[in-house]
Short mmCIF file of all heavy atoms in Angstrom, two decimals:
data_model
loop_
_atom_site.label_atom_id
_atom_site.label_comp_id
_atom_site.label_asym_id
_atom_site.label_seq_id
_atom_site.Cartn_x
_atom_site.Cartn_y
_atom_site.Cartn_z
N GLU A 1 -0.05 34.09 57.71
CA GLU A 1 1.08 34.24 56.81
C GLU A 1 1.04 33.19 55.72
O GLU A 1 1.30 33.48 54.57
CB GLU A 1 2.37 34.15 57.62
CG GLU A 1 3.60 34.52 56.84
CD GLU A 1 4.83 34.57 57.74
OE1 GLU A 1 4.73 35.06 58.87
OE2 GLU A 1 5.87 34.10 57.27
N LEU A 2 0.68 31.97 56.07
CA LEU A 2 0.60 30.89 55.08
C LEU A 2 -0.52 31.11 54.08
O LEU A 2 -0.39 30.75 52.92
CB LEU A 2 0.42 29.54 55.78
CG LEU A 2 1.59 29.03 56.58
CD1 LEU A 2 1.21 27.77 57.35
CD2 LEU A 2 2.79 28.77 55.70
N LEU A 3 -1.61 31.71 54.55
CA LEU A 3 -2.76 31.92 53.68
C LEU A 3 -2.65 33.18 52.85
O LEU A 3 -3.39 33.34 51.88
CB LEU A 3 -4.04 31.97 54.51
CG LEU A 3 -4.38 30.69 55.26
CD1 LEU A 3 -5.61 30.91 56.14
CD2 LEU A 3 -4.61 29.54 54.32
N SER A 4 -1.76 34.09 53.22
CA SER A 4 -1.57 35.35 52.51
C SER A 4 -2.89 36.10 52.35
O SER A 4 -3.36 36.32 51.24
CB SER A 4 -0.92 35.11 51.15
OG SER A 4 -0.62 36.32 50.53
N PRO A 5 -3.51 36.52 53.47
CA PRO A 5 -4.82 37.17 53.39
C PRO A 5 -4.75 38.51 52.67
O PRO A 5 -3.75 39.22 52.74
CB PRO A 5 -5.21 37.35 54.85
CG PRO A 5 -3.91 37.42 55.57
CD PRO A 5 -2.98 36.51 54.82
N GLN A 6 -5.84 38.85 52.00
CA GLN A 6 -5.94 40.15 51.35
C GLN A 6 -6.28 41.24 52.36
O GLN A 6 -5.91 42.39 52.18
CB GLN A 6 -7.01 40.10 50.25
CG GLN A 6 -6.68 39.14 49.14
CD GLN A 6 -5.37 39.49 48.46
OE1 GLN A 6 -5.16 40.63 48.09
NE2 GLN A 6 -4.49 38.52 48.34
N LEU A 7 -7.03 40.87 53.40
CA LEU A 7 -7.34 41.78 54.49
C LEU A 7 -7.71 40.98 55.72
O LEU A 7 -8.00 39.80 55.64
CB LEU A 7 -8.44 42.78 54.12
CG LEU A 7 -9.78 42.26 53.66
CD1 LEU A 7 -10.73 42.13 54.83
CD2 LEU A 7 -10.35 43.24 52.66
N LEU A 8 -7.67 41.64 56.87
CA LEU A 8 -8.01 41.02 58.14
C LEU A 8 -9.14 41.80 58.81
O LEU A 8 -9.19 43.02 58.71
CB LEU A 8 -6.82 41.02 59.10
CG LEU A 8 -5.62 40.17 58.76
CD1 LEU A 8 -4.50 40.42 59.76
CD2 LEU A 8 -5.99 38.71 58.75
N VAL A 9 -10.03 41.07 59.49
CA VAL A 9 -11.06 41.69 60.30
C VAL A 9 -10.84 41.18 61.72
O VAL A 9 -10.86 39.97 61.96
CB VAL A 9 -12.48 41.33 59.81
CG1 VAL A 9 -13.53 41.93 60.73
CG2 VAL A 9 -12.68 41.79 58.39
N LEU A 10 -10.61 42.08 62.64
CA LEU A 10 -10.35 41.72 64.02
C LEU A 10 -11.59 42.01 64.86
O LEU A 10 -12.10 43.12 64.85
CB LEU A 10 -9.16 42.53 64.55
CG LEU A 10 -7.88 42.41 63.73
CD1 LEU A 10 -6.81 43.34 64.28
CD2 LEU A 10 -7.39 40.97 63.70
N LEU A 11 -12.08 40.98 65.55
CA LEU A 11 -13.29 41.11 66.35
C LEU A 11 -12.95 41.33 67.81
O LEU A 11 -12.55 40.41 68.50
CB LEU A 11 -14.17 39.86 66.19
CG LEU A 11 -14.63 39.55 64.77
CD1 LEU A 11 -15.42 38.26 64.75
CD2 LEU A 11 -15.44 40.69 64.21
N GLY A 12 -13.08 42.55 68.25
CA GLY A 12 -12.88 42.88 69.65
C GLY A 12 -11.54 43.50 69.97
O GLY A 12 -10.59 43.44 69.19
N GLY A 13 -11.50 44.10 71.13
CA GLY A 13 -10.31 44.80 71.58
C GLY A 13 -9.13 43.89 71.83
O GLY A 13 -7.99 44.24 71.53
N ALA A 14 -9.38 42.71 72.39
CA ALA A 14 -8.27 41.79 72.68
C ALA A 14 -7.56 41.37 71.40
O ALA A 14 -6.33 41.36 71.34
CB ALA A 14 -8.79 40.57 73.44
N ALA A 15 -8.33 41.03 70.37
CA ALA A 15 -7.73 40.64 69.10
C ALA A 15 -6.96 41.80 68.49
O ALA A 15 -5.83 41.62 68.01
CB ALA A 15 -8.82 40.17 68.13
N ALA A 16 -7.55 42.98 68.51
CA ALA A 16 -6.89 44.15 67.93
C ALA A 16 -5.59 44.48 68.66
O ALA A 16 -4.56 44.75 68.02
CB ALA A 16 -7.83 45.34 67.94
N LYS A 17 -5.63 44.46 69.98
CA LYS A 17 -4.44 44.79 70.76
C LYS A 17 -3.33 43.77 70.54
O LYS A 17 -2.16 44.13 70.41
CB LYS A 17 -4.78 44.88 72.24
CG LYS A 17 -5.57 46.12 72.58
CD LYS A 17 -5.93 46.15 74.05
CE LYS A 17 -6.75 47.38 74.37
NZ LYS A 17 -7.10 47.48 75.78
N ASN A 18 -3.67 42.48 70.50
CA ASN A 18 -2.65 41.45 70.33
C ASN A 18 -2.07 41.41 68.92
O ASN A 18 -0.86 41.30 68.75
CB ASN A 18 -3.21 40.07 70.69
CG ASN A 18 -3.36 39.89 72.17
OD1 ASN A 18 -2.47 40.25 72.93
ND2 ASN A 18 -4.48 39.36 72.60
N ILE A 19 -2.91 41.49 67.92
CA ILE A 19 -2.43 41.41 66.53
C ILE A 19 -1.69 42.68 66.13
O ILE A 19 -0.61 42.61 65.53
CB ILE A 19 -3.60 41.15 65.56
CG1 ILE A 19 -4.26 39.80 65.86
CG2 ILE A 19 -3.16 41.24 64.11
CD1 ILE A 19 -3.40 38.60 65.55
N LEU A 20 -2.25 43.82 66.46
CA LEU A 20 -1.66 45.09 66.02
C LEU A 20 -0.62 45.65 66.99
O LEU A 20 0.14 46.54 66.62
CB LEU A 20 -2.76 46.13 65.81
CG LEU A 20 -3.80 45.77 64.74
CD1 LEU A 20 -4.93 46.78 64.75
CD2 LEU A 20 -3.14 45.69 63.37
N GLY A 21 -0.60 45.13 68.20
CA GLY A 21 0.36 45.61 69.19
C GLY A 21 0.13 47.05 69.60
O GLY A 21 1.08 47.81 69.79
N VAL A 22 -1.13 47.43 69.76
CA VAL A 22 -1.48 48.79 70.16
C VAL A 22 -2.09 48.76 71.55
O VAL A 22 -2.46 47.70 72.06
CB VAL A 22 -2.46 49.44 69.16
CG1 VAL A 22 -1.83 49.60 67.79
CG2 VAL A 22 -3.73 48.63 69.06
N SER A 23 -2.23 49.92 72.15
CA SER A 23 -2.81 49.98 73.49
C SER A 23 -4.16 50.68 73.52
O SER A 23 -4.83 50.67 74.56
CB SER A 23 -1.84 50.69 74.44
OG SER A 23 -1.61 52.01 74.00
N GLU A 24 -4.58 51.28 72.41
CA GLU A 24 -5.87 51.97 72.37
C GLU A 24 -7.02 50.96 72.53
O GLU A 24 -6.89 49.80 72.18
CB GLU A 24 -6.07 52.72 71.05
CG GLU A 24 -5.17 53.90 70.86
CD GLU A 24 -3.88 53.52 70.16
OE1 GLU A 24 -3.68 52.35 69.83
OE2 GLU A 24 -3.06 54.42 69.98
N GLY A 25 -8.13 51.47 72.99
CA GLY A 25 -9.32 50.63 73.14
C GLY A 25 -10.00 50.41 71.79
O GLY A 25 -9.74 51.10 70.81
N ILE A 26 -10.93 49.47 71.79
CA ILE A 26 -11.60 49.10 70.54
C ILE A 26 -12.45 50.25 70.00
O ILE A 26 -12.56 50.41 68.78
CB ILE A 26 -12.45 47.82 70.72
CG1 ILE A 26 -12.97 47.32 69.37
CG2 ILE A 26 -13.58 48.03 71.70
CD1 ILE A 26 -11.93 46.93 68.38
N MET A 27 -13.00 51.08 70.85
CA MET A 27 -13.82 52.18 70.35
C MET A 27 -12.99 53.22 69.60
O MET A 27 -13.50 53.90 68.72
CB MET A 27 -14.60 52.85 71.49
CG MET A 27 -15.65 51.93 72.11
SD MET A 27 -16.79 51.20 70.91
CE MET A 27 -17.92 52.54 70.67
N ARG A 28 -11.72 53.33 69.90
CA ARG A 28 -10.84 54.22 69.14
C ARG A 28 -10.33 53.56 67.87
O ARG A 28 -10.05 54.22 66.89
CB ARG A 28 -9.66 54.66 69.99
CG ARG A 28 -10.02 55.66 71.04
CD ARG A 28 -8.77 56.19 71.69
NE ARG A 28 -9.14 57.14 72.72
CZ ARG A 28 -9.01 58.44 72.58
NH1 ARG A 28 -8.51 58.95 71.48
NH2 ARG A 28 -9.38 59.24 73.56
N LEU A 29 -10.18 52.25 67.91
CA LEU A 29 -9.62 51.52 66.76
C LEU A 29 -10.67 51.16 65.71
O LEU A 29 -10.35 51.08 64.53
CB LEU A 29 -8.95 50.22 67.25
CG LEU A 29 -7.73 50.37 68.11
CD1 LEU A 29 -7.30 49.02 68.65
CD2 LEU A 29 -6.60 51.02 67.33
N ARG A 30 -11.89 50.94 66.13
CA ARG A 30 -12.91 50.41 65.22
C ARG A 30 -13.22 51.39 64.09
O ARG A 30 -13.15 52.60 64.26
CB ARG A 30 -14.19 50.05 65.98
CG ARG A 30 -14.86 51.20 66.69
CD ARG A 30 -16.36 51.06 66.76
NE ARG A 30 -16.98 51.18 65.48
CZ ARG A 30 -17.29 52.33 64.90
NH1 ARG A 30 -17.02 53.49 65.48
NH2 ARG A 30 -17.87 52.33 63.72
N GLY A 31 -13.54 50.80 62.96
CA GLY A 31 -13.95 51.60 61.82
C GLY A 31 -12.83 52.25 61.03
O GLY A 31 -13.08 52.91 60.03
N LYS A 32 -11.58 52.05 61.45
CA LYS A 32 -10.44 52.64 60.74
C LYS A 32 -9.61 51.52 60.12
O LYS A 32 -9.40 50.48 60.73
CB LYS A 32 -9.53 53.40 61.71
CG LYS A 32 -10.19 54.56 62.41
CD LYS A 32 -9.20 55.18 63.35
CE LYS A 32 -9.91 55.99 64.40
NZ LYS A 32 -9.07 56.33 65.51
N TRP A 33 -9.13 51.78 58.93
CA TRP A 33 -8.22 50.82 58.31
C TRP A 33 -6.83 51.01 58.89
O TRP A 33 -6.29 52.10 58.90
CB TRP A 33 -8.19 51.00 56.79
CG TRP A 33 -9.43 50.46 56.16
CD1 TRP A 33 -10.47 51.18 55.68
CD2 TRP A 33 -9.76 49.09 55.95
NE1 TRP A 33 -11.44 50.34 55.19
CE2 TRP A 33 -11.02 49.05 55.34
CE3 TRP A 33 -9.11 47.89 56.24
CZ2 TRP A 33 -11.65 47.86 55.01
CZ3 TRP A 33 -9.75 46.70 55.90
CH2 TRP A 33 -11.00 46.69 55.30
N LEU A 34 -6.29 49.94 59.41
CA LEU A 34 -4.95 49.92 59.96
C LEU A 34 -4.13 48.92 59.14
O LEU A 34 -4.69 48.22 58.28
CB LEU A 34 -5.00 49.50 61.43
CG LEU A 34 -5.94 50.35 62.29
CD1 LEU A 34 -6.24 49.66 63.60
CD2 LEU A 34 -5.33 51.71 62.54
N THR A 35 -2.86 48.82 59.38
CA THR A 35 -2.04 47.87 58.64
C THR A 35 -1.38 46.89 59.59
O THR A 35 -1.01 47.23 60.71
CB THR A 35 -0.95 48.57 57.81
OG1 THR A 35 -0.14 49.36 58.67
CG2 THR A 35 -1.57 49.46 56.74
N TYR A 36 -1.25 45.67 59.11
CA TYR A 36 -0.58 44.60 59.84
C TYR A 36 0.52 44.07 58.95
O TYR A 36 0.26 43.62 57.82
CB TYR A 36 -1.59 43.51 60.20
CG TYR A 36 -0.96 42.28 60.80
CD1 TYR A 36 -0.34 42.33 62.05
CD2 TYR A 36 -0.97 41.07 60.12
CE1 TYR A 36 0.24 41.21 62.60
CE2 TYR A 36 -0.39 39.94 60.68
CZ TYR A 36 0.21 40.02 61.91
OH TYR A 36 0.80 38.90 62.46
N ALA A 37 1.75 44.13 59.42
CA ALA A 37 2.89 43.64 58.65
C ALA A 37 2.94 42.13 58.73
O ALA A 37 3.03 41.55 59.81
CB ALA A 37 4.18 44.25 59.17
N CYS A 38 2.85 41.48 57.57
CA CYS A 38 2.82 40.03 57.52
C CYS A 38 3.57 39.55 56.28
O CYS A 38 3.22 39.93 55.16
CB CYS A 38 1.37 39.56 57.48
SG CYS A 38 1.16 37.79 57.34
N ALA A 39 4.58 38.74 56.50
CA ALA A 39 5.34 38.13 55.40
C ALA A 39 5.90 39.19 54.45
O ALA A 39 5.85 39.03 53.23
CB ALA A 39 4.49 37.12 54.65
N GLY A 40 6.40 40.28 55.01
CA GLY A 40 7.03 41.30 54.18
C GLY A 40 6.08 42.21 53.45
O GLY A 40 6.48 42.94 52.55
N ARG A 41 4.80 42.17 53.78
CA ARG A 41 3.85 43.08 53.14
C ARG A 41 2.87 43.59 54.19
O ARG A 41 2.74 43.02 55.26
CB ARG A 41 3.12 42.41 51.98
CG ARG A 41 2.21 41.30 52.37
CD ARG A 41 1.60 40.63 51.12
NE ARG A 41 0.62 39.65 51.51
CZ ARG A 41 -0.68 39.88 51.60
NH1 ARG A 41 -1.16 41.06 51.30
NH2 ARG A 41 -1.51 38.94 51.98
N ASP A 42 2.20 44.67 53.87
CA ASP A 42 1.22 45.25 54.78
C ASP A 42 -0.17 44.77 54.39
O ASP A 42 -0.59 44.93 53.23
CB ASP A 42 1.27 46.78 54.73
CG ASP A 42 2.53 47.32 55.36
OD1 ASP A 42 3.10 46.63 56.22
OD2 ASP A 42 2.96 48.43 54.99
N VAL A 43 -0.88 44.21 55.34
CA VAL A 43 -2.23 43.70 55.12
C VAL A 43 -3.21 44.70 55.71
O VAL A 43 -3.12 45.04 56.90
CB VAL A 43 -2.42 42.32 55.78
CG1 VAL A 43 -3.84 41.82 55.58
CG2 VAL A 43 -1.41 41.32 55.25
N PRO A 44 -4.17 45.21 54.91
CA PRO A 44 -5.19 46.11 55.46
C PRO A 44 -6.00 45.37 56.53
O PRO A 44 -6.41 44.23 56.34
CB PRO A 44 -6.07 46.45 54.26
CG PRO A 44 -5.28 46.06 53.07
CD PRO A 44 -4.34 44.99 53.48
N THR A 45 -6.20 46.03 57.67
CA THR A 45 -6.85 45.40 58.81
C THR A 45 -7.93 46.32 59.36
O THR A 45 -7.70 47.51 59.54
CB THR A 45 -5.80 45.11 59.90
OG1 THR A 45 -4.75 44.33 59.33
CG2 THR A 45 -6.40 44.37 61.06
N LEU A 46 -9.09 45.76 59.61
CA LEU A 46 -10.21 46.52 60.16
C LEU A 46 -10.61 45.90 61.49
O LEU A 46 -10.89 44.70 61.57
CB LEU A 46 -11.41 46.48 59.20
CG LEU A 46 -12.64 47.27 59.61
CD1 LEU A 46 -12.36 48.76 59.59
CD2 LEU A 46 -13.81 46.94 58.72
N ALA A 47 -10.60 46.69 62.54
CA ALA A 47 -11.05 46.23 63.85
C ALA A 47 -12.50 46.64 64.06
O ALA A 47 -12.90 47.74 63.69
CB ALA A 47 -10.17 46.83 64.95
N THR A 48 -13.28 45.75 64.64
CA THR A 48 -14.66 46.05 64.94
C THR A 48 -15.03 45.42 66.28
O THR A 48 -14.21 44.76 66.92
CB THR A 48 -15.61 45.58 63.81
OG1 THR A 48 -16.92 46.11 64.05
CG2 THR A 48 -15.66 44.07 63.69
N LEU A 49 -16.25 45.60 66.69
CA LEU A 49 -16.71 45.14 67.99
C LEU A 49 -16.93 43.63 68.00
O LEU A 49 -17.36 43.04 67.01
CB LEU A 49 -17.99 45.87 68.36
CG LEU A 49 -17.87 47.39 68.41
CD1 LEU A 49 -19.23 48.03 68.55
CD2 LEU A 49 -16.95 47.82 69.51
N HIS A 50 -16.67 43.02 69.15
CA HIS A 50 -16.84 41.59 69.32
C HIS A 50 -18.33 41.25 69.38
O HIS A 50 -19.12 42.00 69.97
CB HIS A 50 -16.14 41.15 70.60
CG HIS A 50 -16.00 39.67 70.72
ND1 HIS A 50 -17.03 38.87 71.14
CD2 HIS A 50 -14.95 38.86 70.45
CE1 HIS A 50 -16.63 37.62 71.14
NE2 HIS A 50 -15.37 37.59 70.73
N PRO A 51 -18.75 40.12 68.80
CA PRO A 51 -20.17 39.75 68.83
C PRO A 51 -20.74 39.64 70.25
O PRO A 51 -21.90 40.01 70.48
CB PRO A 51 -20.21 38.40 68.13
CG PRO A 51 -19.03 38.43 67.21
CD PRO A 51 -17.97 39.22 67.93
N ALA A 52 -19.97 39.17 71.21
CA ALA A 52 -20.47 39.08 72.59
C ALA A 52 -20.76 40.46 73.16
O ALA A 52 -21.73 40.64 73.90
CB ALA A 52 -19.45 38.35 73.47
N TYR A 53 -19.94 41.43 72.81
CA TYR A 53 -20.19 42.81 73.24
C TYR A 53 -21.51 43.31 72.64
O TYR A 53 -22.28 44.00 73.31
CB TYR A 53 -19.03 43.71 72.83
CG TYR A 53 -19.23 45.16 73.19
CD1 TYR A 53 -18.98 45.61 74.49
CD2 TYR A 53 -19.67 46.09 72.25
CE1 TYR A 53 -19.17 46.94 74.83
CE2 TYR A 53 -19.87 47.41 72.59
CZ TYR A 53 -19.61 47.83 73.88
OH TYR A 53 -19.80 49.14 74.22
N LEU A 54 -21.76 42.97 71.40
CA LEU A 54 -22.99 43.41 70.74
C LEU A 54 -24.23 42.78 71.37
O LEU A 54 -25.29 43.40 71.42
CB LEU A 54 -22.93 43.10 69.25
CG LEU A 54 -21.83 43.81 68.48
CD1 LEU A 54 -21.79 43.34 67.04
CD2 LEU A 54 -21.99 45.31 68.56
N LEU A 55 -24.09 41.55 71.87
CA LEU A 55 -25.22 40.93 72.56
C LEU A 55 -25.53 41.64 73.88
O LEU A 55 -26.70 41.75 74.26
CB LEU A 55 -24.92 39.45 72.82
CG LEU A 55 -24.95 38.54 71.61
CD1 LEU A 55 -24.47 37.15 71.98
CD2 LEU A 55 -26.34 38.48 71.01
N ARG A 56 -24.50 42.09 74.56
CA ARG A 56 -24.70 42.78 75.84
C ARG A 56 -25.10 44.24 75.65
O ARG A 56 -25.72 44.84 76.54
CB ARG A 56 -23.42 42.72 76.67
CG ARG A 56 -23.07 41.34 77.18
CD ARG A 56 -21.92 41.38 78.17
NE ARG A 56 -20.75 42.10 77.71
CZ ARG A 56 -19.73 41.55 77.03
NH1 ARG A 56 -19.75 40.27 76.72
NH2 ARG A 56 -18.70 42.28 76.68
N ASN A 57 -24.74 44.82 74.51
CA ASN A 57 -25.00 46.25 74.24
C ASN A 57 -25.61 46.41 72.85
O ASN A 57 -24.92 46.79 71.90
CB ASN A 57 -23.70 47.05 74.33
CG ASN A 57 -23.05 46.92 75.68
OD1 ASN A 57 -23.58 47.38 76.66
ND2 ASN A 57 -21.90 46.26 75.71
N PRO A 58 -26.88 46.11 72.69
CA PRO A 58 -27.51 46.17 71.37
C PRO A 58 -27.39 47.53 70.68
O PRO A 58 -27.36 47.60 69.46
CB PRO A 58 -28.97 45.82 71.65
CG PRO A 58 -28.96 45.09 72.94
CD PRO A 58 -27.81 45.66 73.72
N ALA A 59 -27.30 48.60 71.44
CA ALA A 59 -27.19 49.93 70.83
C ALA A 59 -25.88 50.09 70.05
O ALA A 59 -25.81 50.93 69.14
CB ALA A 59 -27.30 51.01 71.90
N ALA A 60 -24.88 49.30 70.35
CA ALA A 60 -23.59 49.39 69.67
C ALA A 60 -23.62 48.72 68.29
O ALA A 60 -22.66 48.84 67.53
CB ALA A 60 -22.49 48.76 70.52
N LYS A 61 -24.72 48.06 67.98
CA LYS A 61 -24.82 47.39 66.67
C LYS A 61 -24.70 48.38 65.52
O LYS A 61 -24.23 48.03 64.45
CB LYS A 61 -26.12 46.60 66.55
CG LYS A 61 -26.13 45.38 67.43
CD LYS A 61 -27.44 44.62 67.27
CE LYS A 61 -27.49 43.43 68.20
NZ LYS A 61 -28.76 42.70 68.07
N ARG A 62 -25.08 49.62 65.74
CA ARG A 62 -24.97 50.61 64.67
C ARG A 62 -23.50 50.86 64.30
O ARG A 62 -23.18 51.08 63.15
CB ARG A 62 -25.66 51.91 65.06
CG ARG A 62 -25.07 52.60 66.26
CD ARG A 62 -25.93 53.76 66.72
NE ARG A 62 -25.42 54.25 67.97
CZ ARG A 62 -25.17 55.51 68.22
NH1 ARG A 62 -25.42 56.42 67.30
NH2 ARG A 62 -24.71 55.88 69.38
N PHE A 63 -22.61 50.80 65.30
CA PHE A 63 -21.18 50.95 65.00
C PHE A 63 -20.66 49.76 64.21
O PHE A 63 -19.92 49.91 63.24
CB PHE A 63 -20.38 51.11 66.30
CG PHE A 63 -20.75 52.31 67.10
CD1 PHE A 63 -21.14 52.18 68.42
CD2 PHE A 63 -20.71 53.58 66.56
CE1 PHE A 63 -21.48 53.28 69.19
CE2 PHE A 63 -21.05 54.70 67.30
CZ PHE A 63 -21.44 54.54 68.62
N ALA A 64 -21.07 48.57 64.62
CA ALA A 64 -20.64 47.36 63.91
C ALA A 64 -21.18 47.36 62.48
O ALA A 64 -20.48 46.95 61.55
CB ALA A 64 -21.10 46.12 64.66
N TRP A 65 -22.40 47.84 62.30
CA TRP A 65 -22.99 47.89 60.96
C TRP A 65 -22.18 48.82 60.06
O TRP A 65 -21.90 48.50 58.92
CB TRP A 65 -24.44 48.33 61.05
CG TRP A 65 -25.11 48.35 59.71
CD1 TRP A 65 -25.52 49.45 59.02
CD2 TRP A 65 -25.43 47.22 58.90
NE1 TRP A 65 -26.08 49.07 57.82
CE2 TRP A 65 -26.03 47.71 57.72
CE3 TRP A 65 -25.27 45.85 59.05
CZ2 TRP A 65 -26.48 46.87 56.71
CZ3 TRP A 65 -25.71 45.01 58.04
CH2 TRP A 65 -26.30 45.52 56.88
N ARG A 66 -21.78 49.97 60.59
CA ARG A 66 -20.95 50.90 59.81
C ARG A 66 -19.62 50.25 59.44
O ARG A 66 -19.13 50.41 58.32
CB ARG A 66 -20.70 52.18 60.60
CG ARG A 66 -21.92 53.05 60.74
CD ARG A 66 -21.58 54.30 61.51
NE ARG A 66 -22.80 54.92 61.99
CZ ARG A 66 -22.87 55.70 63.04
NH1 ARG A 66 -21.80 55.99 63.73
NH2 ARG A 66 -24.02 56.21 63.41
N ASP A 67 -19.05 49.51 60.38
CA ASP A 67 -17.79 48.83 60.10
C ASP A 67 -17.97 47.79 59.00
O ASP A 67 -17.13 47.66 58.10
CB ASP A 67 -17.25 48.14 61.36
CG ASP A 67 -16.91 49.13 62.47
OD1 ASP A 67 -16.80 50.34 62.18
OD2 ASP A 67 -16.77 48.67 63.61
N LEU A 68 -19.07 47.06 59.05
CA LEU A 68 -19.32 46.05 58.02
C LEU A 68 -19.58 46.67 56.65
O LEU A 68 -19.19 46.11 55.63
CB LEU A 68 -20.48 45.14 58.43
CG LEU A 68 -20.20 44.24 59.63
CD1 LEU A 68 -21.44 43.48 60.03
CD2 LEU A 68 -19.05 43.30 59.35
N LEU A 69 -20.19 47.83 56.64
CA LEU A 69 -20.38 48.53 55.35
C LEU A 69 -19.03 49.00 54.80
O LEU A 69 -18.80 48.97 53.59
CB LEU A 69 -21.33 49.72 55.52
CG LEU A 69 -22.80 49.36 55.78
CD1 LEU A 69 -23.60 50.62 56.03
CD2 LEU A 69 -23.36 48.56 54.64
N THR A 70 -18.12 49.41 55.67
CA THR A 70 -16.77 49.78 55.26
C THR A 70 -16.06 48.57 54.68
O THR A 70 -15.39 48.66 53.65
CB THR A 70 -15.99 50.33 56.47
OG1 THR A 70 -16.68 51.46 56.98
CG2 THR A 70 -14.57 50.71 56.09
N LEU A 71 -16.22 47.42 55.34
CA LEU A 71 -15.62 46.18 54.85
C LEU A 71 -16.20 45.80 53.49
O LEU A 71 -15.45 45.42 52.56
CB LEU A 71 -15.85 45.07 55.86
CG LEU A 71 -15.38 43.68 55.47
CD1 LEU A 71 -13.86 43.66 55.30
CD2 LEU A 71 -15.82 42.67 56.51
N LYS A 72 -17.50 45.91 53.34
CA LYS A 72 -18.16 45.58 52.07
C LYS A 72 -17.62 46.45 50.94
O LYS A 72 -17.32 45.95 49.85
CB LYS A 72 -19.67 45.77 52.19
CG LYS A 72 -20.42 45.50 50.93
CD LYS A 72 -21.89 45.79 51.08
CE LYS A 72 -22.59 45.61 49.75
NZ LYS A 72 -23.94 46.11 49.75
N ALA A 73 -17.47 47.74 51.20
CA ALA A 73 -16.94 48.65 50.18
C ALA A 73 -15.52 48.25 49.77
O ALA A 73 -15.17 48.30 48.60
CB ALA A 73 -16.97 50.08 50.69
N ALA A 74 -14.71 47.84 50.74
CA ALA A 74 -13.34 47.43 50.44
C ALA A 74 -13.31 46.15 49.62
O ALA A 74 -12.48 46.00 48.73
CB ALA A 74 -12.55 47.26 51.72
N LEU A 75 -14.22 45.25 49.89
CA LEU A 75 -14.26 43.98 49.16
C LEU A 75 -14.77 44.15 47.73
O LEU A 75 -14.42 43.39 46.85
CB LEU A 75 -15.14 42.97 49.89
CG LEU A 75 -14.59 42.45 51.21
CD1 LEU A 75 -15.63 41.61 51.93
CD2 LEU A 75 -13.32 41.64 50.96
N GLU A 76 -15.58 45.18 47.51
CA GLU A 76 -16.13 45.42 46.18
C GLU A 76 -15.15 46.11 45.24
O GLU A 76 -15.39 46.17 44.05
CB GLU A 76 -17.43 46.21 46.29
CG GLU A 76 -18.55 45.40 46.89
CD GLU A 76 -19.82 46.21 47.10
OE1 GLU A 76 -19.76 47.46 47.05
OE2 GLU A 76 -20.87 45.58 47.31
N THR A 77 -14.06 46.66 45.76
CA THR A 77 -13.11 47.35 44.90
C THR A 77 -12.03 46.42 44.43
O THR A 77 -11.80 45.36 44.86
CB THR A 77 -12.45 48.53 45.64
OG1 THR A 77 -11.77 48.06 46.79
CG2 THR A 77 -13.47 49.58 45.99
#
């Protein structure tokens, strides 16, 4: 709130569930732009997979890569 972020990136299901107050798992949340109400405004928020999960499941890196490309596109606009 003090920093007034332009967007948030949440790494992992625990972060997404706590910040957004949702109950869905990370595989349902990842890759979608969600909103987080902060200081009277909505902050675009993107949930993606936690780096530790990617180390244990290398095949999931393709999902994280897609999420990062989505993030890159948002930052370029």
Side-chain angles (χ1 to χ4, degrees):
E1 190 173 319
L2 292 173
L3 297 175
S4 186
Q6 297 300 311
L7 57 93
L8 292 175
V9 177
L10 305 175
L11 300 177
K17 288 178 181 181
N18 286 316
I19 297 292
L20 299 172
V22 296
S23 61
E24 291 90 0
I26 189 62
M27 293 307 279
R28 287 188 181 254
L29 294 173
R30 61 149 292 277
K32 299 178 200 165
W33 285 104
L34 306 164
T35 57
Y36 172 67
C38 177
R41 67 184 186 94
D42 290 335
V43 178
T45 305
L46 182 68
T48 190
L49 302 170
H50 192 279
Y53 178 81
L54 297 175
L55 287 173
R56 291 189 309 270
N57 301 293
K61 289 180 183 179
R62 62 189 172 130
F63 298 124
W65 182 250
R66 289 181 197 155
D67 297 344
L68 292 175
L69 291 176
T70 301
L71 176 64
K72 179 184 175 191
L75 291 172
E76 291 176 345
T77 60

